[in-house]
């Protein structure tokens, strides 16, 4: 059976549970570790979308009192929704990219990530197909 050396998937807090579970299933089926999983579009296509003003993604960090900005926290959380080793983002602003890279020193709270996925799964199970 052929398998890819890298799988690129949608990531982040705006990704639905079906996409998250599908990415996990593919990774398991192909025996891919996180370093072979690449994520894209962690901000759902627009880091300036008003949703990022309404949601505080710092709740997904191990140290919620962190000084990270909301975009930094969303970027960091995206590495776990689903689990990926590399994230692709686009920007023509080098300062924005530096800001995101600074977030890599922070850790996501694995338990909160699992609880979030359970909430997504519960919500999806109550929605008509």
């Amino acid at each position: 059976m052929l398998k890819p050396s890298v799988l690129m998937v949608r990531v982040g807090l705006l990704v639905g549970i079906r996409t998250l579970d599908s990415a996990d299933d593919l990774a398991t089926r192909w025996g891919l570790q996180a370093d072979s999983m690449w994520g894209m579009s962690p901000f759902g296509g627009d880091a300036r979308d008003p949703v990022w003003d309404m949601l505080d993604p710092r709740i997904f960090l191990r140290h919620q009192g962190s000084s990270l900005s909301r975009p930094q926290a969303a970027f960091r959380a995206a590495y776990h929704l689903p689990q990926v080793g590399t994230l692709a983002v686009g920007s023509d602003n080098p300062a924005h990219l530096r800001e995101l890279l600074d977030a890599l020193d922070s850790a996501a709270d694995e338990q909160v990530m699992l609880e979030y996925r359970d909430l997504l799964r519960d919500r999806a199970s109550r929605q008509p197909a």
Side-chain angles (χ1 to χ4, degrees):
M1 173 174 86
L2 292 176
K3 77 173 193 174
S5 58
V6 171
L7 177 64
M8 184 170 272
V9 296
R10 290 278 318 266
V11 296
L13 294 166
L14 301 181
V15 175
I17 193 62
R18 288 184 183 106
T19 301
L20 294 173
D21 286 345
S22 294
D24 289 342
D25 290 346
L26 282 173
T28 299
R29 179 171 298 194
W30 287 328
L32 298 174
Q33 301 300 313
D35 61 339
S36 294
M37 298 288 290
W38 291 12
M40 64 179 174
S41 196
F43 300 106
D46 186 358
R48 292 177 306 252
D49 189 294
V51 71
W52 301 114
D53 294 326
M54 293 183 279
L55 167 72
D56 190 348
R58 291 174 285 208
I59 64 170
F60 295 94
L61 300 178
R62 190 172 298 146
H63 302 290
Q64 294 179 13
S66 150
S67 62
L68 291 185
S69 67
R70 288 177 183 207
Q72 285 176 307
F75 178 75
R76 191 63 187 108
Y79 276 88
H80 299 274
L81 293 166
Q83 193 78 31
V84 297
T86 302
L87 255 178
V89 295
S91 177
D92 57 0
N93 182 341
H96 176 69
L97 293 175
R98 264 191 305 281
E99 177 187 7
L100 295 180
L101 289 175
D102 288 343
L104 296 178
D105 291 334
S106 295
D109 186 320
E110 297 289 335
Q111 186 59 39
V112 173
M113 292 297 184
L114 292 172
E115 291 170 10
Y116 179 68
R117 287 182 75 146
D118 287 344
L119 286 171
L120 290 176
R121 196 169 284 111
D122 181 58
R123 183 173 185 263
S125 71
R126 291 184 278 123
Q127 304 247 330

